[in-house]
Amino acid sequence: MKEYFHIPVMLEEVLDFLQVKKGGQYLDGTLGGGSYTRAISSLAGDQGLVLSFDLDPLAIDNFLSQALNNVVVINNNFSQIREVVLKNKNELLKSRFDGMVLDLGLSSAQLDDMTRGFSFQGEAPLDMSFGPQIDNSAYYIVNTYSQSDLERIIKDYGEEPWAKKISENIIKSRRQNKISSTKELAEIIATTIPQKFWSRKIHPATKTFQALRIETNQELENLKEFLNQSLDLLESQGRLVIVSFHSLEDRIVKNYFRDWKKANLVKVLTPKPLSPSDSEIEKNYRSRSAKLRAIEKI
């Protein structure tokens, strides 16, 4: 089996905020390569329990080969947490958690898998879905959405100032032939944005690809759905830690935490979000945009 490779982001900081206790019950909503889950599992001990979610069957299969007795793995989206807890609640699984963590970034395995279409570095099918349960795809969006919907997605989810022109050129191109590959789409975007406006740090297609991935997987809606359920599923003094990778996610988390604090429901442990250290960024450049926020339920 090909190893599901992923470098955990801010692992030490996550564990510091979670304050994992022996015999506690914890949720890792984004299993990925399993680094958070393995660390929490070790600290919680044999009497503890870790419930770990992932939509990607490759992540699930990779982790199950490691077989940890105090970990329950669920092939589902973390937005379904309440339903899963109610369905599986028994003498082992309590109805509330002592801590929860989400790492909202893509794993290195997903980014590097050319069949998934997350990257524009090469030619791959326009997929971008996190798993087979996802009904949508970037191919469907690019080739069927109206120009106004494409413009809205690219502008709102990608924060791309060239959204109008990019959506116009996507429509023009697909009238000739369906847009079927990441390379083809990336070239359309690159030729749309004049080179003098290209960023020195990122490829001109980066923001549009981010927008399509978010729309494909309904990422922001799923994050909100999770947050709407999470506080009720936390024990008193339980902690929630979220690591996000772009401003749209971070803004949602920030606003939820702020509103909960105003309602005297939580204590915010991160008045300002934490970022990775320079040494971590040097070892893992993909961690550079990460922001960590944490709360403790009152």
Side-chain angles (χ1 to χ4, degrees):
M1 184 191 303
K2 183 179 178 182
E3 184 181 0
Y4 192 95
F5 179 69
H6 180 59
I7 302 173
V9 174
M10 291 194 279
L11 176 60
E12 290 184 14
E13 292 88 339
V14 165
L15 296 176
D16 283 345
F17 279 109
L18 276 181
Q19 294 188 341
V20 179
K21 60 186 181 183
K22 289 288 184 184
Q25 177 171 289
Y26 295 89
L27 169 82
D28 180 355
T30 45
L31 173 66
S35 296
Y36 288 173
T37 287
R38 280 192 295 273
I40 297 167
S41 163
S42 177
L43 292 168
D46 292 340
Q47 301 305 310
L49 183 70
V50 186
L51 189 66
S52 297
F53 282 66
D54 208 294
L55 266 178
D56 191 339
L58 294 178
I60 299 289
D61 291 344
N62 177 71
F63 189 83
L64 288 179
S65 67
Q66 304 166 46
L68 295 175
N69 292 333
N70 62 347
V71 176
V72 176
V73 177
I74 305 291
N75 186 198
N76 207 332
N77 191 283
F78 53 72
S79 65
Q80 303 301 308
I81 176 176
R82 179 183 286 124
E83 179 183 332
V84 170
V85 169
L86 290 174
K87 188 178 294 184
N88 293 279
K89 188 170 62 173
N90 53 38
E91 66 275 5
L92 292 176
L93 181 64
K94 302 184 297 181
S95 59
R96 287 191 172 88
F97 295 89
D98 298 294
M100 304 179 183
V101 61
L102 297 182
D103 171 351
L104 299 172
L106 287 176
S107 71
S108 297
Q110 290 171 321
L111 286 168
D112 294 339
D113 185 348
M114 295 307 295
T115 67
R116 308 291 286 273
F118 289 118
S119 174
F120 34 76
Q121 306 295 338
E123 187 154 6
L126 275 175
D127 183 6
M128 300 194 193
S129 66
F130 288 158
Q133 300 98 319
I134 302 295
D135 293 329
N136 210 349
S137 71
Y139 176 86
Y140 181 81
I141 295 165
V142 165
N143 288 292
T144 67
Y145 276 29
S146 67
Q147 183 176 319
S148 60
D149 281 341
L150 284 171
E151 181 182 347
R152 172 183 55 80
I153 291 163
I154 297 168
K155 180 180 178 182
D156 292 351
Y157 294 166
E159 299 178 296
E160 171 58 77
W162 291 87
K164 182 177 176 62
K165 194 66 178 173
I166 290 169
S167 60
E168 287 176 357
N169 283 346
I170 287 174
I171 298 294
K172 287 178 184 177
S173 295
R174 81 185 195 195
R175 283 178 183 150
Q176 305 300 317
N177 289 294
K178 295 287 188 184
I179 302 167
S180 58
S181 76
T182 53
K183 182 180 180 181
E184 188 180 355
L185 179 60
E187 287 175 352
I188 292 168
I189 298 164
T191 56
T192 299
I193 304 174
Q195 285 197 17
K196 65 179 180 179
F197 294 108
W198 287 14
S199 168
R200 293 181 180 179
K201 295 182 179 180
I202 59 173
H203 189 283
T206 300
K207 294 180 178 180
T208 299
F209 271 59
Q210 172 184 293
L212 293 171
R213 193 200 75 222
I214 289 173
E215 173 69 10
T216 296
N217 297 286
Q218 296 294 293
E219 293 176 42
L220 303 184
E221 288 79 1
N222 286 328
L223 175 58
K224 292 174 185 176
E225 187 63 26
F226 170 81
L227 289 166
N228 286 334
Q229 302 171 59
S230 61
L231 210 54
D232 288 340
L233 294 171
L234 263 183
E235 294 278 13
S236 177
Q237 297 183 311
R239 292 187 165 196
L240 170 60
V241 182
I242 299 182
V243 181
S244 61
F245 288 81
H246 56 75
S247 59
L248 298 173
E249 293 171 337
D250 182 59
R251 196 175 305 136
I252 290 170
V253 176
K254 175 185 175 181
N255 290 340
Y256 267 83
F257 286 7
R258 179 201 62 205
D259 293 345
W260 291 344
K261 181 182 178 182
K262 284 182 180 178
N264 201 34
L265 298 172
V266 306
K267 178 168 60 177
V268 174
L269 305 174
T270 49
K272 292 184 178 179
L274 270 65
S275 298
S277 64
D278 292 340
S279 61
E280 178 167 2
I281 294 172
E282 188 175 340
K283 293 175 186 174
N284 178 18
Y285 186 65
R286 286 171 174 166
S287 72
R288 69 194 182 280
S289 60
K291 299 282 188 246
L292 183 154
R293 293 184 185 270
I295 55 97
E296 180 180 283
K297 183 177 177 180
I298 293 174

